[in-house]
Amino acid sequence: MDFFYRVFTTVEKKLWLAEIEDYLEKEEIPLSAIPIVDEADEENLDAEPIQILFVDDEDREVALLEFDAISDSEMLTEEVAEFRELVGEMLPERNRAWAVEKFAATTGCFAFQIFEDGFEEANWDAVATLAAWLRSETNGFEQSDGGQITNENGAVVLVVPYDEDEEKEEDDWRGCSVALRVDGGWAESELDSEAAFDKFLDGDA
């Protein structure tokens, strides 16, 4: 099954191949960016890539990145509407209104499709670092399949509740930064126990 890790943007700013390559080099992130162009533009050396493939130091495919803008993507518009509905099922409840507003303000989305080798710790950290930079540069927020939504600072603010029949491992969230909406701002903390995670889900600041 495909797994996607998204950065939703709230400003009209597309950081693409040149900017991403500069960032990877500057921060010494061990990923190489390979442009993929439309078939019709294969002979055009100046064609803008429609996707960017990231490979690691062992030349293994880690992730594939696409960017869509709300202004020209009906599919993204529909996806954003679906995510806004999903927010109503996520916890803690006190953070839902913020997320609905952020989805309403969304202008675009960087979507990483993560491949098998992308889940290795070093590669995952590299992609997450790149995603965090994209988020910070676009006043964005992050969302991953079946998982969580972050705020503008990268702290988790909403999660999909565990199914009653699903076994919850105690250390799932240990060390994770979370945030609760308080008086128009964020009260952030780091989880150190299952009890702290349950307190977060209850919206207890």
Side-chain angles (χ1 to χ4, degrees), residues 7-13 67-71 76-77 79-81 83-84 87 96-109 135 138-141 152 181:
V7 177
F8 289 97
T9 68
T10 61
V11 295
E12 295 183 1
K13 183 177 182 180
F67 176 82
D68 284 314
I70 285 283
S71 58
L76 179 58
T77 301
E79 287 183 345
V80 167
F83 283 126
R84 288 180 68 183
V87 165
R96 291 174 182 172
W98 172 87
V100 169
E101 291 177 1
K102 293 295 284 188
F103 277 119
T106 293
T107 60
C109 178
R135 167 179 47 77
T138 60
N139 192 34
F141 59 102
E152 307 94 328
R181 200 70 175 159

Side-chain angles (χ1 to χ4, degrees), residues 1 3-4 7 12 15-16 45 47 54 57 59 61 66 93 105 108 115 126 136 150 161 184 186 188 202:
M1 175 181 286
F3 181 92
F4 288 90
V7 177
E12 295 183 1
L15 298 163
W16 207 224
L45 299 179
F54 296 98
D57 288 343
D59 206 31
E61 295 184 352
E66 294 189 31
E93 184 176 352
F115 300 131
S136 67
T150 76
W186 294 110
E188 297 192 7
D202 289 339

Side-chain angles (χ1 to χ4, degrees), residues 41-147:
D41 293 323
E42 287 181 349
E43 303 301 322
N44 180 3
L45 299 179
D46 296 322
E48 179 173 324
I50 57 173
Q51 298 173 316
I52 299 174
L53 174 66
F54 296 98
V55 298
D56 63 14
D57 288 343
E58 298 178 32
D59 206 31
R60 297 178 301 173
E61 295 184 352
V62 171
L64 186 67
L65 178 63
E66 294 189 31
F67 176 82
D68 284 314
I70 285 283
S71 58
D72 57 22
S73 175
E74 183 177 341
M75 180 179 295
L76 179 58
T77 301
E78 293 174 354
E79 287 183 345
V80 167
E82 291 174 1
F83 283 126
R84 288 180 68 183
E85 291 185 10
L86 178 62
V87 165
E89 303 172 7
M90 301 180 77
L91 295 175
E93 184 176 352
R94 70 185 301 162
N95 289 345
R96 291 174 182 172
W98 172 87
V100 169
E101 291 177 1
K102 293 295 284 188
F103 277 119
T106 293
T107 60
C109 178
F110 293 93
F112 292 89
Q113 181 182 351
I114 309 297
F115 300 131
E116 182 177 356
D117 290 320
F119 290 100
E120 290 190 5
E121 184 174 1
N123 286 335
W124 179 266
D125 288 346
V127 173
T129 300
L130 175 58
W133 173 69
L134 292 172
R135 167 179 47 77
S136 67
E137 291 291 316
T138 60
N139 192 34
F141 59 102
E142 299 169 48
Q143 183 274 339
S144 60
D145 276 354

